[in-house]
Amino acid sequence: MRFFWNIALALLLIAGAALAEDKVEHDRSRLSIFLQPSVSFLNFEEREYFQDAIDTIYHSFREDAQTESDSLNVAKQDFQKVNFCFPVTAGLQFQIFDDNFISAGLGFIYDNESVVLTDRKGRTHNYSYTIQGVPLFLEYRLGIPRNLMTLSGESLFSISLRWYWVLPGTEIYSTWGKLEAKTPVTGAGFGVGIGYLIASWKNFNIYGDIGFSSISVESSKTFADIVPDGPTEKAKWNIGGLLMQVRVSFGLWNNPVIEDEDSAEEAITKTAPETAEDPAEEKAEEK
């Protein structure tokens, strides 16, 4: 899965670079749909609970080893110190007036972490935990005036603000149990980002963004329900973090293309029929 998203992001960036040679000033779409693959570093500090559990199991395997040969069989992997995943989001975007957009999107976050431990008899044991999130958001994107910030004098820079809710399916499940998040109607957090319009081609637009989100959720259960020796107070965790994203949108309803005055005059000159000469002038010339 990670390899697939690496290839997809690389292709999008290559396509954006190729199309960026065209003049890109504004997004013409009034109403568009979008797909947004991302790379995210989750702000999940509770990963240490799972690492502590693995360390405890490993030490118990070491204590069970009765000979030096048994001790050599005992081995472990550690969980990654960073929760790195590839969220994907889809949604609708509406341009209320020039360079001002409101959007609604639904995303899916999935991060599976797995390790293997070997006991004194050489038997392997797999332990894992998975962070899953289904965030829904509303977004306001504001174009930054070109006299304040531009890229090569052409691109549309913008800042975005989001408010998140989480839907059922936001949870953590592990080798030892499952932890479901509550879904409050007031929301779960916010996000901010800054980016620019990389390329525009016909009804397609490609944006590149970097940003940060904080999506804090909690459960009626505790981490002790999904990891040995975990905390016994009600569980809280965060599925937001730093992210880089590419938004590919397709305009369903677009503003007309407005040509500049020089181009319009040139087009009129080329298409205007030749004026016929006055017959009276022709006779005068013959005389």
Side-chain angles (χ1 to χ4, degrees):
M1 180 63 75
R2 291 185 176 182
F3 176 76
F4 170 79
W5 283 117
N6 281 333
I7 295 297
L9 285 170
L11 290 175
L12 286 172
L13 292 174
I14 291 171
L19 294 173
E21 295 179 359
D22 296 334
K23 189 175 182 179
V24 182
E25 292 182 352
H26 299 284
D27 184 339
R28 293 193 305 107
S29 62
R30 293 284 288 173
L31 178 66
S32 59
I33 57 175
F34 66 83
L35 182 68
Q36 183 171 280
S38 309
V39 177
S40 181
F41 300 88
L42 299 182
N43 184 26
F44 184 68
E45 298 178 354
E46 292 74 16
R47 69 177 69 87
E48 64 184 30
Y49 303 152
F50 299 94
Q51 183 60 51
D52 290 343
I54 293 302
D55 292 339
T56 300
I57 295 170
Y58 171 72
H59 290 308
S60 69
F61 286 168
R62 294 282 296 180
E63 291 174 358
D64 290 341
Q66 299 176 356
T67 65
E68 184 177 350
S69 177
D70 288 347
S71 297
L72 292 175
N73 286 331
V74 178
K76 77 177 175 80
Q77 292 178 324
D78 292 325
F79 284 116
Q80 297 291 329
K81 297 185 182 296
V82 176
N83 292 91
F84 179 67
C85 63
F86 298 88
V88 62
T89 302
L92 286 171
Q93 176 175 278
F94 180 70
Q95 186 169 194
I96 49 180
F97 48 89
D98 286 350
D99 301 338
N100 285 259
F101 307 85
I102 55 173
S103 304
L106 180 64
F108 183 69
I109 298 170
Y110 182 85
D111 174 39
N112 174 257
E113 303 292 339
S114 179
V115 295
V116 174
L117 274 66
T118 307
D119 63 22
R120 65 186 181 89
K121 295 184 178 180
R123 296 173 299 194
T124 58
H125 305 263
N126 180 265
Y127 301 94
S128 67
Y129 70 91
T130 300
I131 304 167
Q132 186 172 288
V134 187
L136 172 71
F137 68 82
L138 288 178
E139 176 189 88
Y140 180 71
R141 181 182 293 266
L142 170 66
I144 302 174
R146 291 177 59 190
N147 59 345
L148 296 179
M149 181 180 293
T150 61
L151 182 68
S152 299
E154 302 296 348
S155 292
L156 167 65
F157 265 91
S158 60
I159 57 174
S160 58
L161 303 173
R162 290 182 177 182
W163 187 253
Y164 286 94
W165 291 262
V166 291
L167 301 183
T170 301
E171 59 194 25
I172 301 176
Y173 54 92
S174 72
T175 303
W176 304 280
K178 183 178 179 180
L179 201 62
E180 296 179 346
K182 296 179 182 179
T183 56
V185 295
T186 53
F190 67 94
V192 294
I194 184 169
Y196 70 100
L197 182 59
I198 299 175
S200 183
W201 179 71
K202 294 187 177 179
N203 294 340
F204 287 95
N205 295 284
I206 301 177
Y207 289 87
D209 286 355
I210 58 172
F212 172 81
S213 64
S214 176
I215 310 173
S216 182
V217 296
E218 61 180 46
S219 175
S220 57
K221 294 184 178 180
T222 71
F223 273 104
D225 293 316
I226 63 167
V227 61
D229 301 321
T232 55
E233 62 268 14
K234 289 185 178 180
K236 296 181 180 181
W237 67 98
N238 201 302
I239 57 173
L242 296 173
L243 57 88
M244 296 177 290
Q245 57 196 21
V246 176
R247 175 177 295 188
V248 181
S249 66
F250 176 77
L252 302 175
W253 172 26
N254 301 284
N255 291 322
V257 177
I258 300 176
E259 298 180 350
D260 57 44
E261 295 181 0
D262 294 338
S263 299
E265 290 178 1
E266 185 178 344
I268 292 172
T269 303
K270 289 181 178 179
T271 56
E274 293 183 1
T275 304
E277 293 185 2
D278 189 339
E281 291 181 359
E282 290 183 359
K283 291 180 179 179
E285 289 177 358
E286 289 178 357
K287 292 180 179 180

